Amino acid sequence: MNNEELNTYFTQQLIDMASERLGGETLACSDDFFAGMENLLKPGRGVFIDDKYTDRGKWMDGWESRRSYGRDNGREFDWCTIRLGIPGVIRGFDVDTNHFRGNAPQSVSIEACVCNGQLDDNTEWTTLLPQTPVDAHSQNLFSIDSDQIWTHIRLNIFPDGGVARFRVYGDPSIDASQFLPGELIDLASIKNGGRALLCSDMFFSDKNNLIMPGRGVNMGDGWETKRRRDPGPDWSIVKLATEGSVNKVLVDTAHFKGNFPDRFSLEGTNGSDSDVLAGNTEWQTVIGEQKLYAHREHLFMQEIESAQQTFTHVRLNIFPDGGVSRMRVFGYRKEDLK
């Protein structure tokens, strides 16, 4: 795939598991004299303000170390360790040097580890990306072939310099140890391993906003389609974290006051991602059409028609169009129903 195709694949089909929004955190770095390491995981690509300076030099929207190359400071490269907000299988990286034109690294390498406690000198790191050249002021995209679940990343930059943003794209994995046997779980939550696979339209905002943590902060923090000129519906398919039942559903139209859907319905199916995406599965009604209202949390339990069945995917249908801030699909894992 070329860079444009790779970027589309990363952003439309995978999750940035290091995102600050999902709980990703920069833990430590060798040096961040000019710009803090925490900027790496912020949203967007970073900005440049021409005349903004700090008492340490030019303000930069990213992580930037002081100059070390050719100096006797004992460092051959700089590094930053990151705890993923969601553990999972890593499919690719975006090392974005946006606005770092004369101060970008020459090359990078990336390592990963599995750690349930604190990183220390005994942590075993595995190289996922060997030392590879990067371009200044560019999105440097790298595809990774690894099927292991990872929890932490170490970004190494050679010999020094600045990176605006760092994305770790992959497939989140549910951690069964985080739940009690028989616990009611939000199976759609991105934090638990859910993922929005496909939608009819996301003109105004991304489909994965629908399953993000917390309530939406504004109208842009939801899933919103363009205006239809037919009865609809628009729809979004969510892969559940694991196969399970649907016992309680919450549909939140927070901040959608003049553009909320008139009605919604929810369907479920069992199948692989490829079958679902190819349209080779049968959809079954979970909740028939129900009225929605502006800027409100809507809770549905009695309306659920198939609480005794299990599903791998659900499809939210909105009539005729509009915006939904969040959807929660609470149920029990299939193995807990035995």
Side-chain angles (χ1 to χ4, degrees), residues 115-160:
C115 179
N116 295 320
Q118 298 295 319
L119 300 177
D120 57 31
D121 292 341
N122 296 318
T123 300
E124 294 185 9
W125 293 94
T126 299
T127 299
L128 296 185
L129 180 73
Q131 189 172 344
T132 305
V134 292
D135 294 324
H137 188 52
S138 301
Q139 283 183 273
N140 297 274
L141 306 177
F142 304 102
S143 184
I144 301 300
D145 183 15
S146 170
D147 290 325
Q148 184 170 338
I149 295 171
W150 304 101
T151 62
H152 294 72
I153 294 295
R154 184 162 63 189
L155 170 64
N156 304 310
I157 60 174
F158 299 84
D160 53 30

Side-chain angles (χ1 to χ4, degrees), residues 57-218:
K58 180 72 182 74
W59 178 88
M60 293 296 290
D61 188 13
W63 166 48
E64 185 180 3
S65 65
R66 73 190 82 197
R67 300 187 188 215
S68 63
Y69 180 70
R71 292 160 173 81
D72 186 17
N73 60 13
R75 288 206 318 273
E76 296 181 4
F77 60 91
D78 282 305
W79 53 266
C80 180
T81 54
I82 296 161
R83 182 180 63 83
L84 299 179
I86 315 174
V89 176
I90 295 172
R91 306 296 185 193
F93 299 109
D94 179 1
V95 181
D96 190 354
T97 56
N98 198 37
H99 299 299
F100 286 90
R101 300 172 186 268
N103 47 355
Q106 186 176 40
S107 59
V108 302
S109 71
I110 302 171
E111 300 164 287
C113 76
V114 178
C115 179
N116 295 320
Q118 298 295 319
L119 300 177
D120 57 31
D121 292 341
N122 296 318
T123 300
E124 294 185 9
W125 293 94
T126 299
T127 299
L128 296 185
L129 180 73
Q131 189 172 344
T132 305
V134 292
D135 294 324
H137 188 52
S138 301
Q139 283 183 273
N140 297 274
L141 306 177
F142 304 102
S143 184
I144 301 300
D145 183 15
S146 170
D147 290 325
Q148 184 170 338
I149 295 171
W150 304 101
T151 62
H152 294 72
I153 294 295
R154 184 162 63 189
L155 170 64
N156 304 310
I157 60 174
F158 299 84
D160 53 30
V163 175
R165 298 291 188 268
F166 180 54
R167 309 297 183 208
V168 181
Y169 290 107
D171 294 313
S173 176
I174 189 168
D175 184 355
S177 68
Q178 300 299 310
F179 303 104
L180 296 170
E183 182 178 353
L184 193 67
I185 301 170
D186 180 3
L187 297 172
S189 170
I190 199 168
K191 286 284 287 183
N192 292 336
R195 181 156 55 94
L197 279 187
L198 188 68
C199 66
S200 57
D201 178 84
M202 54 177 183
F203 186 86
F204 289 108
S205 47
D206 189 84
K207 61 186 183 299
N208 273 304
N209 288 338
L210 194 63
I211 55 176
M212 286 289 175
R215 291 197 79 188
V217 298
N218 55 40

